């Protein structure tokens, strides 16, 4: 029986052995953790709850002491992925041959969890180059799974449809909002997309569901036009591990052989009552750059009940937001994804940018820059009322021509669109 179906006690016992191996390994091989652990008796760390005795690793640590995390000689590094650091400068993430194997295993298991099988044809609509880990991970995972990969990469609906009609994939791997562009294009040129053989899509980068797992606005808009199975997946370069949804679509399943999960409150204490908090991870089985108690900065809610698919593993709900992007607005606390979700509910909005600044009174001010087909005062009022009703905030709204807004959102040197600016 696979580890995901074991009892919680058996999984914990298994992780405790792996944790000891990891702690000894980093203490011997990483200059950073040698310093970090010099005053700790690692032999006193036995149960998973003992982890709380150890200090956190932060994104700032990873940025400031990047090369001190490396546990292997440089000639064992096969690939460098990058991830954006806190100050915007990229952080390098080294991977050995064994790490690429681990990532392939991780993604094969995750895709299996979402129902993809050996022999399935899968179209990869994410970037595989530019030092992105995700695209590479999907390729390695699909290869390990015995599936066929069509590497079209990101964007260009016409190219995507050419490949779909030629190779007949059953699944797509994509950012969910791009599916709307795919449907628009298909309708414009008369492609019978509903009967093209695609069963589902594995969606990355944007949430698909609300906290109760009901569809969010982007998902509802896709499903109202195209009957697809949409599976959410959440991962990051630092974690080198994914949390993928099964057919129950009740949050991403934890792979206990690859990562230890903690959820902490604002004071760094473990949350045990299931309320949302910051995700902290300890990677297992990583050779080049393992991380111990790494604070991801992502606010999530963990679900512990056994899933209808039979897996006993913890599930993570949609990311509520990034901790440092928290907005305090007249007694309300909110995160950009909740605002993205509201804006995604309006068909007329072609693109948007959220800007947070501090006003003269020292409180947070929200400005929405919107590109819409026909900017009217009525529409502006409609959006503002919607924000007031749903999120209890009243943003300043400014319409911009689409070309002007696109220049602010799609920066030439950035791999992802930037729809949030923090001026605080
Ligand atoms: Zn499940």
């Amino acid at each position: 029986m696979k580890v995901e179906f074991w009892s919680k006690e058996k999984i914990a016992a298994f992780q405790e052995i792996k944790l000891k191996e990891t702690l000894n390994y980093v203490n011997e091989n990483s200059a950073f953790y040698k310093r970090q652990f010099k005053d700790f008796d690692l032999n006193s760390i036995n149960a998973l709850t003992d982890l709380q005795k150890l200090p956190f690793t932060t994104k700032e640590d990873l940025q400031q002491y990047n090369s001190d995390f490396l546990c292997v000689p440089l000639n064992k590094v096969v690939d460098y992925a990058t991830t954006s650091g806190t100050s915007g400068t990229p952080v390098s993430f080294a991977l050995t041959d064994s790490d690429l194997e681990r990532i392939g295993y991780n993604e094969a298991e995750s895709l299996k969890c979402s129902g993809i099988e050996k022999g399935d044809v899968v179209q990869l609509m994410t970037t595989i180059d530019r030092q992105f880990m995700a695209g590479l991970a999907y390729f390695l995972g699909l290869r390990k799974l015995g599936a066929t990969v069509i590497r079209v990469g990101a964007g260009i609906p016409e190219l995507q449809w050419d490949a779909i009609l030629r190779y007949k994939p059953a699944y797509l791997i994509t950012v969910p909002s791009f599916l709307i562009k795919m449907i628009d294009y298909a309708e414009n040129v008369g492609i019978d997309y509903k009967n093209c053989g695609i069963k589902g899509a594995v969606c990355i980068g944007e949430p698909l569901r609300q906290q109760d797992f009901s569809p969010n606005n982007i998902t509802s808009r896709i499903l109202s036009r195209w009957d697809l199975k949409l599976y959410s997946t959440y991962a990051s370069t630092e974690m080198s591990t994914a949390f993928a949804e099964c057919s129950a679509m009740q949050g991403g399943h934890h792979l206990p052989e690859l990562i230890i999960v903690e959820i902490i409150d604002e004071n760094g204490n473990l949350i045990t009552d299931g309320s949302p908090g910051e995700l902290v991870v300890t990677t297992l089985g990583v050779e080049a750059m393992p991380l111990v108690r790494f604070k991801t900065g992502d606010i999530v809610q963990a679900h512990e009940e056994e899933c209808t698919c039979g897996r006993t593993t913890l599930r993570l709900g949609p990311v509520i937001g990034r901790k440092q992007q928290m907005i305090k607005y007249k007694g309300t606390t909110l995160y950009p994804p909740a605002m993205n979700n509201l804006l995604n509910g309006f068909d007329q909005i072609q693109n948007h940018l959220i800007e947070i600044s501090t006003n003269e009174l020292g409180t947070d001010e929200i400005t929405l820059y919107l590109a819409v087909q026909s900017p009217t005062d009525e529409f502006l009022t409609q959006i503002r009322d919607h924000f007031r009703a749903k999120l209890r905030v009243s943003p300043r709204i400014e319409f911009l021509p689409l070309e002007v807004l696109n220049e602010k959102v799609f920066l030439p040197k950035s791999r992802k669109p930037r729809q949030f600016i923090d001026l605080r």
Side-chain angles (χ1 to χ4, degrees):
M1 191 165 64
K2 292 224 52 203
V3 56
E4 302 145 84
F5 296 92
W6 293 356
S7 70
K8 286 201 183 288
E9 296 71 32
K10 199 173 165 191
I11 288 176
F14 168 80
Q15 285 199 319
E16 280 159 8
I17 297 169
K18 293 272 178 191
L19 172 63
K20 273 198 160 293
E21 286 171 11
T22 300
L23 293 178
N24 290 331
Y25 178 78
V26 296
N27 195 38
E28 249 164 59
N29 298 293
S30 145
F32 176 83
Y33 284 113
K34 250 180 232 174
R35 286 199 301 273
Q36 185 95 327
F37 296 158
K38 69 177 182 330
D39 299 326
F40 289 91
D41 175 17
L42 291 183
N43 289 319
S44 73
I45 311 292
N46 294 303
L48 292 180
T49 45
D50 292 337
L51 255 181
Q52 291 168 76
K53 297 177 192 168
L54 295 176
F56 293 111
T57 304
T58 63
K59 290 202 175 212
E60 289 75 20
D61 292 331
L62 204 48
Q63 182 131 24
Q64 201 177 345
Y65 310 108
N66 203 180
S67 57
D68 288 353
F69 281 86
L70 193 64
C71 289
V72 296
L74 286 176
N75 64 10
K76 282 199 79 181
V77 175
V78 176
D79 186 77
Y80 285 107
T82 58
T83 167
S84 45
T86 42
S87 62
T89 18
V91 172
S92 293
F93 218 86
L95 296 121
T96 64
D97 191 52
S98 147
D99 292 333
L100 291 181
E101 267 299 314
R102 181 185 168 285
I103 282 181
Y105 168 85
N106 158 66
E107 215 53 68
E109 291 305 311
S110 299
L111 293 165
K112 256 192 253 174
C113 184
S114 302
I116 297 179
E117 295 173 351
K118 185 181 165 80
D120 280 335
V121 179
V122 181
Q123 188 149 316
L124 185 53
M125 298 161 66
T126 64
T127 308
I128 199 168
D129 57 358
R130 300 186 78 178
Q131 293 184 273
F132 246 131
M133 189 189 273
L136 181 64
Y138 285 122
F139 177 78
L140 294 170
L142 289 163
R143 175 177 182 244
K144 200 170 248 320
L145 193 57
T148 306
V149 194
I150 314 298
R151 287 180 297 116
V152 182
I156 324 176
E158 183 180 1
L159 262 187
Q160 303 289 352
W161 279 115
D162 282 351
I164 290 169
L165 299 175
R166 183 184 305 223
Y167 300 106
K168 306 263 181 289
Y171 293 94
L172 308 175
I173 298 179
T174 182
V175 176
S177 52
F178 188 65
L179 286 171
I180 304 223
K181 294 203 173 81
M182 290 286 289
I183 299 170
D184 288 343
Y185 182 88
E187 285 182 354
N188 278 336
V189 301
I191 292 170
D192 183 11
Y193 60 94
K194 288 178 183 167
N195 295 302
C196 69
I198 292 171
K199 293 191 272 189
V202 170
C203 294
I204 66 160
E206 298 161 356
L208 287 177
R209 285 171 237 297
Q210 321 218 44
Q211 290 304 313
D212 64 359
F213 301 119
S214 61
N216 66 11
N217 281 328
I218 201 100
T219 301
S220 301
R221 270 171 70 191
I222 297 164
L223 296 180
S224 68
R225 296 169 75 185
W226 194 3
D227 182 24
L228 283 179
K229 295 259 182 283
L230 300 180
Y231 299 96
S232 185
T233 168
Y234 160 67
S236 71
T237 305
E238 296 95 336
M239 296 197 290
S240 298
T241 308
F243 292 80
E245 279 187 338
C246 69
S247 55
M249 299 176 183
Q250 299 284 303
H253 275 286
H254 173 210
L255 290 170
E257 64 273 47
L258 298 182
I259 203 162
I260 293 172
V261 170
E262 296 172 273
I263 311 277
I264 59 163
D265 65 18
E266 281 168 18
N267 304 315
N269 298 318
L270 216 54
I271 291 176
T272 49
D273 67 355
S275 50
E278 183 178 3
L279 175 68
V280 172
V281 297
T282 298
T283 56
L284 300 174
V286 171
E287 190 176 38
M289 290 177 77
L291 296 175
V292 176
R293 301 203 87 200
F294 176 71
K295 289 172 95 172
T296 63
D298 289 335
I299 306 294
V300 293
Q301 189 168 6
H303 299 264
E304 293 279 359
E305 327 79 78
E306 187 175 325
C307 184
T308 49
C309 72
R311 289 177 180 84
T312 53
T313 48
L314 167 151
R315 286 166 286 119
L316 290 184
V319 175
I320 298 167
R322 307 220 21 92
K323 192 182 170 194
Q324 58 176 138
Q325 294 181 343
M326 186 174 86
I327 302 155
K328 285 195 190 276
Y329 187 93
K330 293 176 187 160
T332 306
T333 299
L334 82 159
Y335 292 93
M339 295 196 272
N340 287 332
N341 183 42
L342 281 202
L343 294 168
N344 287 337
F346 291 95
D347 270 332
Q348 307 93 308
I349 299 177
Q350 297 160 309
N351 201 352
H352 72 260
L353 174 65
I354 300 165
E355 187 184 87
I356 307 299
S357 54
T358 310
N359 63 20
E360 316 80 75
L361 303 168
T363 54
D364 289 348
E365 189 85 39
I366 305 166
T367 308
L368 306 176
Y369 295 100
L370 308 176
V372 301
Q373 269 135 6
S374 40
T376 61
D377 285 346
E378 289 74 32
F379 188 50
L380 195 144
T381 309
Q382 198 189 335
I383 297 168
R384 187 175 295 133
D385 288 350
H386 198 56
F387 267 76
R388 230 178 251 150
K390 296 281 183 190
L391 296 176
R392 320 225 170 283
V393 298
S394 179
R396 213 171 66 79
I397 300 173
E398 200 176 309
F399 291 126
L400 289 178
L402 185 59
E403 316 82 67
V404 177
L405 189 55
N406 280 351
E407 269 179 36
K408 289 177 186 281
V409 171
F410 301 104
L411 304 175
K413 282 181 80 182
S414 172
R415 296 182 299 197
K416 293 174 188 167
R418 181 193 59 166
Q419 287 186 300
F420 179 75
I421 298 180
D422 203 335
L423 299 176
R424 292 173 292 183

